[in-house]
Amino acid sequence: MLIFLIRQFRAYFVRMLSRWADAGAGIGTLILNGAALSLSWLFLPLESKFWREVRCNKSLYYPHVNFERLGFADLIRIVLQSIFLAFVHVFDRTRFLRRNPVSRLIRSILHGFEKTGEAIGSVGTRFLSGIGSQSYETAQRLTDRVVSNKFQTLLIRLALVIAGALALLCITQPFDIRGQVIFLSIVLFSAWVFTHIKARITLMVLFVISVTVSGRYLWWRCTSTIRPDSGIELFLALMLLAAEIYAFIVMVLGYFQVCWVLDRKPTPLPADRNTWPTVDIFIPTYNESLEVIKPTVFAALNLDWPQDKLRVHLLDDGSREAFAVFAQSVGVNYIKRIEHNHAKAGNINHALGLTSGEFIVIFDCDHVPSCDFLTSTVGWLVADKKIALVQTPHHFYSPDPFEKNLHLEKAMPIENSLFHDFIQKGNDTWNAVMFCGSSAVMRRSALMQIGGIAVETVTEDAHTSLKLNRLGWKSAFISRPLASGLSTESLSAHIGQRIRWARGMIQIFRLDNPLLGKGLSLAQRLCFFNAMVHFLHGLPRLIFLVAPLPYMFADIYVIYATAAAIFAYVIPHMVHAAITNQILQKGYRYPFLSGVYEAVLSWYILLPTTVALIFPHKGKFNVTAKGMTIDNKYVDWSISKPILVLIALNLAGLAIGIYKAATAADSQVTTLIINIGWIVYNLMVLGAAFAVAVEEVQKHRLPRITLKTPVELTLADGTVLPAQLQEYSQTDVRIRLTEGIERLNLEDDIFVSMTTRGQTYRFKACVLALENDCLEARLVFADNQEEIAFNRCTFAREGMWAIAPEGKVDERFVTGFMRLAGFAVYGYKSLVEYLPGYVGRAVRGALSLLPRVPVTHSKDIL
C-alpha cells in the first residue's frame, strides 16, 4: 500500500510539474510548487474528497495566493491556509452545532425560556395594561393630577420615601457570597420576567431593580474593595471608584428623567385664520455659503401661514452683499449689524429690537422646515399663555460621521436621537424642555422678560430655557420631526461642535447652577443638572478604558476582591444596567454604541470642561462648517491620536496578561482572565472608535434625500411617462421609470411634473445618467420662483421629515455586541491598511501571511 501511494503521488507530482513547465513557469516557481506539494502531502490527506475539492478550486480557498507567480511568502501563506482549512473542516461549527446533542439540548432550553417569557409577558401585559398604558392622554392626565392634586403629590412623595428606605435596606444589607448570588439570582429572574411584560409600570420596576443591584455593587466597592497598602494603589482605586460613582449618578438621573415620558401631540389652532398671531422667522447666518441657506429661506417662505402675518428675516452676521441681493430677490427682510458681539445670541437679540411679531421662530441656516411647522407648534402657545417655548426634534438629512464612516443603515437611530427623540419627551413631563437653538417657537414677551437670548455662555440655547423656567414660564416638546438640517460632515467638525456644547453646559453649571437659586422645581433642577454633568464623562470614560492596565503592568489592584466576589457583584451590576438601558433606549440608541460615542469624544472634551469648571468665562462660540465634499477615503490621523495611544496601551496590557495567564499560579488565572476580558472589550470599543476616524468619500456637496412619490416625465416629443421620484437634492433628482427608459438619451431635455397639496408643478431637467430603470437629471430653474416651487414639492413638503426610513434594524443585545465586534474589526483593518511608512508596509506584509476565510464553501464538502 505504501509503495502504491508513493507511486500515485510521484505521478501526480510529475504531472503538475510538467503542466507548470509547459506554462512557462520559472525554475524558482517549479521548486516552490514542488516544495509546497511535498509538504502538503506529508501533513495533509490530499487524496481525500475535501482536499480534491480544494485543489480544484485553489483560487477560491487560497484567495491571497498568486498561483501564477509564486514567491517564498506564498509558500508560507499556503501552509498556514492549509492548516486553517483543515481546522475549519474538522471543527466545522455549523455541522457541529447541528449534530451535537448538547447543542440541541441548549437550543431547546433557550426556546423553552423564550416561550415561557412570551406566556408570562402576555399574562402580565393584560394584568398591567390599565396601569401601564403608554398613550399621551394617560401620561397627560397623570402629569395634571400630580401638579393639581396636592394630596396625591404628598402620597407620591411618601411612597418615594418608603421606596427609597426599602432600597437603602436592600443595598446595605450584608450578604456572604452565597447569599449575594441567591439574592441576585432572584432579582435577575424578576427582571427577566418583567422584560416580557409590555407595560409602562414594568419599566419602573426595572429601574428599581437596576438601581438596587448597582447600589449594592457600589456599597460593596466602597466598603470592601479599597486597600490602602500604598499611595499609588489607593489613588488609582479611588479614581476608578469616583468614575463608577459618577456613572451611577448619571444613570439614576437618567432613569428619573425618562421614567414617564410625555408624547405631546400638536394642538389645533382656531378655525378662523384671521385670528392667528404674527410670527417672525429668524434665520441667522455667519460664514455659510448661499447654497446652504437657500433651502431654509425657501422653506420659510413656503410655511402654511397667512402671508400678512408671516415675516421672514435673514440675519447675516457676515455682512455679505450677495446675501443682501438674494434676500431682496426672494422677498425676505435682510438684517445686518455693525457690532458683531456675542455671536449667534447677539445676532438674534439685535433682530429682536427691529421686529415685532408675537412669536419668534429660529431656524439655523441649514435647518429646513416642512410647511406644517407653524400649524403643528403655535397651537400650544395660543392655547396656553404660560408656555414660552415649543421645541421640536433636531433631525438631519445628511449622515453624521458615525453614520457615514461606520456604514450604518438609515433605519438605525443616530447619535443624537436619544436626546432629541426621547429624553426631551421626559423633560416635557417635568416642564424642563431645553431650547436647542433651532427649530423652535418662542413667545416674544417671555423672551424680552429675560433680556433676550442668553449671552453669558457659548450654549446660549440651553441657558435661555433655564432662565425662562426660573421665571415660571412653561415649555413644551412636539415629538414629531418638523425640520431637518445638515449634520457635521467630518469627525473633526463633529468633535469641534461637541467641544462647544460641553464647554457651554459646564459654563452654565458654574455661572447659573440649576441646583441653586429660585424658581425651579426639584424635577427641573435634576433634569438640567443631568444635562450638564453628562458632559463630564471625559475623565470617567478614559478611566474605564485604562482601569485594567495597572494590574497587568504592575500588579496594582484597583478592585481588591476575589474573582468570586467580582462575579457576584460586578457582573450582575453590568447585566442589569445593560438590560434596563437596552429596553429603555430601544429605537433611540443602538446597543453598545454609547461607549463608542463617548470614547471618541472623551479626550477632547476633558480639557475644555476642566477649564470651564475653573474659568467659566473662558471660551468662544465656534461656527460648525457645513457643505463640504471628501474626494478620497482617508484616515484622520491627527484626530485619532488619543485613540491610537489607548489602543497601544491596551494591546500591551493584553500581551502581558496573556503571558501572565500562561505562567501564573492557578489562584491568579481567574483574575487575569477577568482583566483580559475587560481589555478585549476596551479594544473592541477603541477599534470601533478608530473606525469613525476613517473618513468615507462624500461625492455630493449637496446631500441627496430619499423621497418616494409619483411623478410624471414629459419627453421632448410630448410623450408622458409615469415614474417615481427616488431621491432629490437642491439641483438633482433620481427617478425610477416603470417603462420607456429606452426612449431616453444622455443630455435629453425632459420635464418633471410633481404634485403637492393638490397643486401640480412642472420643472425642466437635463438627463445626466441612465442606469437600468433609473435616471438622474439636473434641474434647470428659470428663476427663484421655480426654485421656491421645487422646494415646496420636496424640502417643505407636508410631513416630509416625519417619513420613517425604510428597513428594520435588529436591536437585540447579542446582535449589538456582534456589530460592535464588526466595527472594531473594520477599524483595525483600516488601521493596518492606511498605516504610513515602512512600519505600515512591514505590518501589512506580516498580516498578508495570515489565513483568510475562503471566498466560497462547497456544501458537499464543508
Side-chain angles (χ1 to χ4, degrees), residues 463-477:
H463 197 188
T464 298
S465 52
L466 177 62
K467 285 186 170 185
L468 289 169
N469 283 137
R470 282 196 186 278
L471 292 183
W473 289 99
K474 296 165 63 177
S475 54
F477 178 75

Side-chain angles (χ1 to χ4, degrees), residues 80 113 136 143 280 282 304 349 362 410 412 438 474 488 505-506 509 547 549 574 586 646 717 739 811 830:
L80 295 177
F113 271 117
Y136 161 71
T143 304
D280 284 317
F282 288 174
D304 181 12
N349 289 337
I362 300 173
K410 290 185 178 180
M412 189 177 291
S438 179
K474 296 165 63 177
T488 51
M505 295 303 282
I506 302 305
F509 178 76
L549 300 183
M574 296 175 64
K586 188 174 183 180
L646 291 169
D717 60 2
E739 59 179 345
E811 294 185 278
S830 299

Side-chain angles (χ1 to χ4, degrees), residues 73-143:
D74 289 311
L75 176 60
I76 299 175
R77 295 187 184 102
I78 291 172
V79 172
L80 295 177
Q81 183 76 0
S82 298
I83 296 173
F84 171 72
L85 290 174
F87 181 84
V88 170
H89 172 58
V90 174
F91 297 101
D92 178 37
R93 184 180 62 178
T94 304
R95 185 176 61 178
F96 176 78
L97 292 177
R98 186 172 60 249
R99 297 180 181 177
N100 192 320
V102 177
S103 174
R104 290 202 302 271
L105 177 62
I106 292 173
R107 289 203 309 274
S108 65
I109 292 173
L110 292 176
H111 182 70
F113 271 117
E114 184 178 354
K115 291 299 182 183
T116 304
E118 290 176 358
I120 294 173
S122 177
V123 174
T125 300
R126 288 196 298 270
F127 178 73
L128 296 173
S129 59
I131 300 174
S133 172
Q134 299 183 42
S135 66
Y136 161 71
E137 292 81 6
T138 302
Q140 182 67 52
R141 287 197 300 270
L142 176 64
T143 304

